[in-house]
């Protein structure tokens, strides 16, 4: 009789233990589901080029191409020295953006939103992998990807000069890989990743970059 009672007790305890284990697993799964949140969706509709933009030649800085820009646009030639070597870098200061520094914005009108252009030996995948793994970029996520471009976000990296971006959870950039059929070279066309751009600012820059035509 004692053996029978003992067996009953063991079965009951085992059943309770199994039930508790399942409940704990279910509770753990529920906790994981609650912790994992979907990334917020971002509207990446590229705006139309404003009607008052004109086709601007970049030949005065030594770059045989045109882009649609405001009538008065600043541009310059610089030197880029990175892990692909030393080569020219062409910069189009497409428009100005507010920095949030009242004195700076009053004096200089804001900060130049720059499109950078330079030759590259890397394809889009290699550029993307580099951005994802770079400790400098502050990479957060790929937002959109096409055959020759990516749009992505990073954490704000320039808040000392752009305090307006300090409260943003992410800032926005693009990078395009374009083949020049005139000189048979491949070019990287991108937003200046030293600055922090809002979504609207990045998309406006991207719209301009897409208008590039080779001469």
């Amino acid at each position: 009789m004692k053996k029978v009672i003992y067996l009953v007790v063991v079965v009951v305890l085992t059943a309770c233990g199994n039930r508790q284990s399942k409940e704990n697993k279910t509770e753990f799964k529920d906790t994981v589901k609650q912790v994992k949140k979907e990334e917020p969706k971002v509207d990446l509709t590229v705006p139309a080029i404003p009607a008052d933009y004109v086709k601007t030649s970049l030949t005065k800085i030594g770059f045989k191409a045109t882009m649609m820009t405001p009538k008065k646009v600043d541009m310059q030639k610089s030197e880029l020295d990175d892990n692909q070597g030393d080569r020219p870098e062409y910069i189009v200061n497409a428009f100005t953006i507010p920095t949030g520094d009242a004195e700076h914005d009053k004096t200089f009108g804001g900060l130049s939103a720059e499109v950078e252009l330079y030759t590259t030996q890397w394809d889009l995948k290699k550029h993307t992998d580099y951005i994802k793994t770079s400790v400098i970029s502050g990479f957060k996520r790929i937002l959109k990807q096409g055959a020759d471009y990516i749009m992505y976000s990073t954490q704000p990296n320039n808040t000392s000069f752009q305090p307006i971006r300090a409260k943003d959870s992410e800032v926005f950039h693009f990078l395009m890989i374009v083949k020049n059929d005139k000189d048979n070279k491949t070019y990287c066309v991108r937003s200046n990743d030293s600055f922090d751009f809002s979504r609207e600012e990045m998309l406006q820059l991207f719209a301009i970059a897409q208008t590039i035509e080779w001469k």
Side-chain angles (χ1 to χ4, degrees):
M1 186 66 179
K2 288 182 180 180
K3 289 183 179 180
V4 173
I5 293 172
Y6 174 75
L7 288 173
V8 171
V9 170
V10 170
V11 170
V12 171
L13 289 174
T14 302
C16 290
N18 289 339
R19 183 168 64 251
Q20 186 175 4
S21 176
K22 289 179 181 178
E23 288 174 354
N24 288 340
K25 287 180 181 179
T26 303
E27 184 179 350
F28 176 73
K29 288 180 180 179
D30 291 341
T31 303
V32 172
K33 288 180 181 178
Q34 290 173 5
V35 170
K36 188 177 181 181
K37 294 180 180 179
E38 289 187 6
E39 294 282 4
K41 292 183 179 179
V42 179
D43 182 1
L44 296 172
T45 304
V46 180
I49 293 293
D52 60 347
Y53 273 33
V54 296
K55 182 178 284 191
T56 300
S57 174
L58 310 185
T59 52
K60 71 178 183 179
I61 57 172
F63 194 69
K64 295 181 178 180
T66 63
M67 297 178 80
M68 296 297 293
T69 71
K71 290 180 181 179
K72 292 183 178 181
V73 63
D74 186 30
M75 61 185 78
Q76 62 193 83
K77 181 181 178 181
S78 183
E79 288 294 319
L80 176 66
D81 188 7
D82 61 10
N83 46 16
Q84 294 185 62
D86 187 11
R87 59 206 187 279
E89 177 183 33
Y90 306 93
I91 301 170
V92 178
N93 302 316
F95 52 86
T96 56
I97 57 177
T99 66
D101 182 327
E103 187 62 31
H104 184 280
D105 291 346
K106 181 180 178 180
T107 305
F108 300 102
L111 183 71
S112 293
E114 297 179 354
V115 177
E116 299 177 331
L117 309 98
Y118 49 84
T119 58
T120 183
Q121 299 170 12
W122 293 0
D123 60 14
L124 182 63
K125 183 181 184 306
K126 191 160 185 177
H127 275 283
T128 302
D129 290 343
Y130 178 79
I131 291 167
K132 285 181 176 180
T133 57
S134 170
V135 295
I136 301 173
S137 73
F139 174 79
K140 293 199 73 173
R141 56 178 173 147
I142 297 292
L143 300 165
K144 189 175 182 180
Q145 186 162 357
D148 61 355
Y149 74 89
I150 57 169
M151 295 180 185
Y152 64 98
S153 70
T154 70
Q155 64 187 24
N157 287 316
N158 194 41
T159 54
S160 58
F161 292 101
Q162 293 177 265
I164 195 172
R165 302 271 75 92
K167 294 182 180 180
D168 292 347
S169 61
E170 57 186 347
V171 293
F172 302 86
H173 293 281
F174 75 85
L175 183 147
M176 293 172 53
I177 300 298
V178 185
K179 183 67 177 291
N180 182 348
D181 55 5
K182 302 294 185 181
D183 64 9
N184 204 35
K185 294 179 181 179
T186 301
Y187 288 84
C188 178
V189 184
R190 66 178 302 162
S191 56
N192 186 333
D193 61 349
S194 295
F195 301 155
D196 295 334
F197 297 107
S198 69
R199 175 183 59 85
E200 294 83 0
E201 292 163 354
M202 181 274 289
L203 289 170
Q204 189 176 353
L205 274 178
F206 182 75
I208 292 170
Q210 284 190 310
T211 66
I212 189 168
E213 292 183 2
W214 309 109
K215 296 179 70 174

